[in-house]
Amino acid sequence: MRRVLITGLGVVSPLGNDIGSVSASLRSGASGIHRLRRIDTADLKVQIGAEVDDTVFADPDSDLNYSHLDRFSKFAVKAAAEALLDSKLPPEAFERMVAIIGTGCGGKETDEETYCRLYKEGKLRAHPITIPKGMPSAAASQVSMQFGIRGPVFSVTSACSSSAHAIAQGVMMIRSGMADVVIAGGTDAPFTFGLLKAWEALRVLSRDTCRPFSEDRSGLVLGEGVGMLVLESESHALARGAQVHAELAGIGMSSDASHITDPSVDGAVRAMRLCLQDAGVSADQVDYINAHGTATKANDVSETAAIRKVFGAHAEKLKVSSTKSMHGHALGAAGGIELVSTVLAMQQGFVPPTINFTRPGEGCDLDYVVNAAEPMEFDLALSNSFAFGGLNAVLAVRRFQD
């Protein structure tokens, strides 16, 4: 089976607009959660979120074209540019390169603008490019067009597992021989009035901050952004002398097939076990888990129980953290941002913290690495993504050794 290596990283998140700033924020335990600034919150019960700094699009020296793009597509183009630059791929690689970009929401900014135009302003026509701007595959298409990617290009949507599923699909295409180079990840921009009102109706949003695994956790905090990775077959990467960040060693996917919003321990267990099996490793070889860790009452208990079931006695030795405590829950982008964060932590020798932690909640009894990053060299980590609809995806990254 062909090994899959990570040779490029790109990220836009509430913790920073590039790899360097995000890495520094993860290490320092910074928070990207604050009162929402981009929309009027007067009629919202929940007025906090983890927003991206809009200066990300203001670089006067950039050749990127953001005109007529929804916000989620802008994120994708920006992070793809960073990942591709980081990979130092030669121009000929783009001819057969694959782009797979996950999204949970698609172009919600475009939807909101359209509905305001029709129902609030009384206009009789939508903007002519409403469909191509807001369609879920718009981000993938824009990445393809702006960088000349001519291989298969498509989107994956599976709610909060969209990024991880997109990355897993990229792994499978490389292993099968269908591709040598894939850029994959996920993007979402959910901060619109209509979507926030819909999330309020679910009653899972926190009004103060994100406290995964804490007794006083009060729900998730929405975030936005993108995480992108360049994946290459080992032979392709080594033949061109590429810098390798890590090996993407295993993938595991499952479905709960039980409830649309209530997570299943068994579904998460299957995904983690399949990932370990795919990577060809035993449970006691894993050093760190970047948990799904949403800070909802149901998720944190079920994920903890699943980890204990998979890892047994080794669960006591695992380091676990939820970086959502810092960058919020970016929905379809979460898995991409979290995998990039895990790779950065592996490279730089630290475990990112679960900030805002007070005291352990009932059923939350693992080593969650709380409130400050912990220096640690580790060789194997999992990144968990569990979505509404019971759609689970787990990715394993391993320190690369030629």
Side-chain angles (χ1 to χ4, degrees), residues 13 24 94 102 109 117 137 146 164 250 265 272 297 305 310-311 328 343 351 360 373 401:
S13 95
F94 290 74
E109 181 183 63
R117 179 186 179 97
S137 59
Q146 296 218 27
V265 172
M272 283 189 279
K297 293 295 182 182
V310 171
F311 291 92
V343 172
V351 174
Q401 295 181 349

Side-chain angles (χ1 to χ4, degrees), residues 6 8-15 18-19 22 26 75-76 79-80 82-83 100-104 156 158-168 183-188 224-231 248 290-292 323-324 327-345 382-386 393-395 397:
I6 299 168
L9 300 172
V11 66
V12 173
S13 95
L15 298 181
D18 54 52
I19 290 297
V22 168
L26 290 168
F75 288 156
E82 184 181 27
I100 311 171
I101 299 178
T103 181
V156 171
S158 51
C160 309
S161 292
S162 298
S163 289
H165 277 129
I167 294 164
I183 183 165
T187 180
D188 257 330
E224 63 177 354
V226 57
M228 302 285 278
L229 302 94
V230 173
L231 311 177
L248 215 167
N290 190 317
H292 188 55
T323 55
K324 287 185 178 71
H327 56 65
H329 192 346
L331 305 178
I337 294 171
E338 288 156 15
L339 186 62
V340 169
S341 299
T342 302
V343 172
L344 291 172
L382 300 187
S383 182
N384 287 346
S385 295
F386 307 135
V394 178
L395 305 171
V397 287

Side-chain angles (χ1 to χ4, degrees), residues 16-310:
N17 294 336
D18 54 52
I19 290 297
S21 57
V22 168
S23 178
S25 294
L26 290 168
R27 186 185 287 273
S28 66
S31 176
I33 297 170
H34 51 70
R35 187 181 180 89
L36 292 171
R37 304 182 185 120
R38 294 186 61 252
I39 64 171
D40 184 356
T41 61
D43 293 324
L44 292 172
K45 295 177 182 177
V46 177
Q47 301 188 342
I48 62 167
E51 290 178 305
V52 166
D53 181 352
D54 274 358
T55 59
V56 64
F57 307 125
D59 182 0
D61 298 322
S62 173
D63 294 328
L64 302 177
N65 181 8
Y66 296 122
S67 62
H68 306 302
L69 268 63
D70 188 277
R71 188 173 177 84
F72 92 118
S73 293
K74 292 178 183 178
F75 288 156
V77 168
K78 170 62 172 67
E82 184 181 27
L84 292 168
L85 181 64
D86 183 42
S87 73
K88 299 180 176 63
L89 281 162
E92 59 268 21
F94 290 74
E95 188 69 27
R96 296 185 62 248
M97 188 188 301
V98 175
I100 311 171
I101 299 178
T103 181
C105 299
K108 287 299 180 184
E109 181 183 63
T110 300
D111 291 345
E112 184 93 350
E113 291 171 353
T114 301
Y115 299 146
C116 284
R117 179 186 179 97
L118 297 176
Y119 304 129
K120 187 176 181 179
E121 300 172 12
K123 305 289 186 182
L124 297 179
R125 294 181 179 179
H127 193 283
I129 64 167
T130 297
I131 295 299
K133 184 179 176 183
M135 61 189 183
S137 59
S141 295
Q142 289 295 337
V143 167
S144 168
M145 291 186 290
Q146 296 218 27
F147 303 106
I149 296 172
R150 299 180 182 276
V153 174
F154 57 96
S155 287
V156 171
T157 179
S158 51
C160 309
S161 292
S162 298
S163 289
H165 277 129
I167 294 164
Q169 181 69 44
V171 170
M172 290 188 288
M173 291 188 75
I174 290 174
R175 286 178 177 174
S176 72
M178 293 180 67
D180 279 315
V181 184
V182 175
I183 183 165
T187 180
D188 257 330
F191 291 120
T192 67
F193 180 80
L195 190 58
L196 287 171
K197 293 302 286 185
W199 273 99
E200 281 185 356
L202 271 175
R203 300 182 181 180
V204 296
L205 297 184
S206 172
R207 299 192 188 191
D208 55 4
T209 195
C210 181
R211 297 186 185 89
F213 306 109
S214 284
E215 183 181 46
D216 56 349
R217 66 191 185 278
S218 54
L220 64 87
V221 174
L222 289 176
E224 63 177 354
V226 57
M228 302 285 278
L229 302 94
V230 173
L231 311 177
E232 289 187 63
S233 66
E234 181 182 32
S235 58
H236 189 276
L238 297 187
R240 69 180 188 88
Q243 167 190 279
V244 178
H245 292 291
E247 177 187 359
L248 215 167
I251 58 176
M253 297 174 281
S254 71
S255 174
D256 294 352
S258 60
H259 194 279
I260 196 70
T261 57
D262 192 22
S264 159
V265 172
D266 289 342
V269 166
R270 283 196 303 276
M272 283 189 279
R273 283 179 173 164
L274 287 168
C275 183
L276 295 174
Q277 179 182 339
D278 186 60
V281 298
S282 60
D284 60 7
Q285 291 177 266
V286 177
D287 304 301
Y288 166 59
I289 298 178
N290 190 317
H292 188 55
T294 60
T296 61
K297 293 295 182 182
N299 173 86
D300 292 5
V301 173
S302 66
E303 185 170 14
T304 298
I307 290 170
R308 286 205 166 276
K309 194 168 183 179
V310 171

